[in-house]
Amino acid sequence: MAKAVEISMDDLVDLFACYQQEEHLLPELLRVVEADSRSPLRKRVVDLYVRKSEILTAKSSEESCSIADARLNIDNELSTFLSRHADIDSGAKRCAEAELWRSATLLASRQGTSQIDVVRVLIRNGSKQSATAGTSTRSLMITCASNLDWSELTDQEVGVLISLLCEWQASLNSIAHHEICMSVAIKYAPRFPKHCSILYLISAMYIISDKAVWNQESSAVHRSISCGINGSVAITSNGQLVTWGDFTNQQHRPLESTEVNKTSRKTPVEVASSPKKSHAQQLPHPVHIEGRPRFVCCGAEHILVLTTA
């Protein structure tokens, strides 16, 4: 389209933005950046993902679960893109306002001056957003709060944030998140002793209670990582299940004779032009499951996960 009307892609994005339709250009921008990783258009990608997330807010509240899942997918896509382009460091506050917490945390960590802005968005919108948020989103919000700097917050702001952390870790009921909150309390205790002592006490009580229940209810051996023929699975420090590799087992299935003959007749040009297998499915990605994973075992095509409530 840009070539047809003799306009640059950058100007075309601005034109679409005038009508709040710029997100439709995202696939083309990603294609351009994939072909040229140094393209200036890479710095427009964050805004387009943010716009894509903002559109979800206008949808009916009856679709809150599907909206939350869609927003998580947007956040995962953007954070994956950002991990490949470490020079992009702007847009953290906009990501936070659009509830893209993983991306907001990543961008804010690259630019220290924006950390306080992201934390304040979390304080201002955290209660409302967590009301409709799923487990994964609350986990990302805790991660955001724990990884960014609080030093410029007022005592009142810290009080609100501590209340949110207490609420979120209670709903997640995960030792990993309780320990994260306890670490935050220890870190900021010298600056905010009153609020941090409350967070420390509540987190410690959850940890003691949770470990006592676990010791009483289960004597199963804990296994947090397993490797199969084609892929692997692990339980992360924050209690998430992560898989990577290829569980289709295609590379170990015997080729039929017709396929072998067909391959043998290919010309050098045909072989060179054959599509390469995508490695996207081989990258680590989280898998949501009900309960807390305790034991994992990885096979060629399947994963066994033992969980507790």
Side-chain angles (χ1 to χ4, degrees), residues 26-303:
L26 181 57
E28 180 62 20
L29 254 69
L30 293 175
R31 187 193 66 78
V32 172
V33 175
E34 184 176 356
D36 178 13
S37 61
R38 303 304 301 171
S39 170
L41 291 173
R42 70 188 187 281
K43 297 189 177 181
R44 304 296 300 269
V45 170
V46 172
D47 289 336
L48 269 61
Y49 270 113
V50 167
R51 176 60 188 159
K52 192 174 180 180
S53 178
E54 289 172 345
I55 292 174
L56 296 176
T57 307
K59 293 191 176 181
S60 171
S61 59
E62 296 178 0
E63 306 171 359
S64 57
C65 292
S66 59
I67 290 175
D69 291 340
R71 183 168 281 120
L72 278 174
N73 289 334
I74 293 172
D75 198 9
N76 288 335
E77 287 181 17
L78 177 54
S79 60
T80 300
F81 174 84
L82 292 172
S83 67
R84 296 197 299 266
H85 298 274
D87 61 320
I88 300 177
D89 59 3
S90 60
K93 184 179 179 181
R94 287 203 64 198
C95 285
E97 291 171 338
E99 302 179 48
L100 304 177
W101 294 110
R102 189 194 304 274
S103 302
T105 305
L106 181 58
L107 287 170
S109 64
R110 294 176 180 177
Q111 190 179 59
T113 55
S114 62
Q115 291 193 22
I116 191 64
D117 294 329
V118 172
V119 176
R120 282 180 170 143
V121 171
L122 183 63
I123 294 170
R124 184 171 64 250
N125 301 337
S127 180
K128 179 181 177 181
Q129 292 179 4
S130 64
T132 57
T135 301
S136 297
T137 302
R138 290 193 184 99
S139 174
L140 291 173
M141 294 166 88
I142 287 181
T143 301
C144 178
S146 63
N147 281 280
L148 301 184
D149 185 29
W150 295 13
S151 58
E152 296 183 35
L153 294 178
T154 65
D155 192 70
Q156 183 178 1
E157 288 173 327
V158 171
V160 175
L161 185 54
I162 292 296
S163 297
L164 291 172
L165 289 175
C166 291
E167 177 187 341
W168 295 338
Q169 66 170 316
S171 64
L172 291 170
N173 193 24
S174 161
I175 288 184
H177 291 100
H178 301 326
E179 290 176 343
I180 289 173
C181 290
M182 179 181 284
S183 298
V184 170
I186 294 172
K187 179 179 179 180
Y188 291 104
R191 185 181 290 268
F192 308 105
K194 177 183 175 181
H195 299 300
C196 288
S197 62
I198 295 173
L199 179 61
Y200 183 90
L201 178 61
I202 291 176
S203 302
M205 290 176 64
Y206 278 127
I207 292 172
I208 294 171
S209 174
D210 193 78
K211 286 187 175 180
V213 171
W214 169 244
N215 290 334
Q216 292 172 5
E217 293 184 352
S218 175
S219 59
V221 178
H222 178 72
R223 183 177 181 182
S224 59
I225 190 168
S226 177
C227 300
I229 297 175
N230 309 321
S232 303
V233 60
I235 303 171
T236 65
S237 60
N238 62 357
Q240 280 191 315
L241 191 69
V242 174
T243 66
W244 64 96
D246 180 9
F247 288 94
T248 62
N249 202 24
Q250 291 292 335
Q251 64 269 41
H252 292 282
R253 291 181 178 173
L255 294 173
E256 296 180 3
S257 58
T258 56
E259 293 178 346
V260 174
N261 294 334
K262 184 178 179 181
T263 303
S264 63
R265 290 196 298 268
K266 283 187 177 180
T267 65
V269 176
E270 290 175 329
V271 173
S273 61
S274 298
K276 294 182 179 180
K277 182 179 177 181
S278 172
H279 294 281
Q281 74 273 21
Q282 298 183 12
L283 297 175
H285 64 278
V287 178
H288 174 69
I289 60 172
E290 296 298 329
R292 285 171 291 169
R294 295 292 187 178
F295 185 95
V296 291
C297 185
C298 188
E301 296 178 324
H302 301 86
I303 298 171

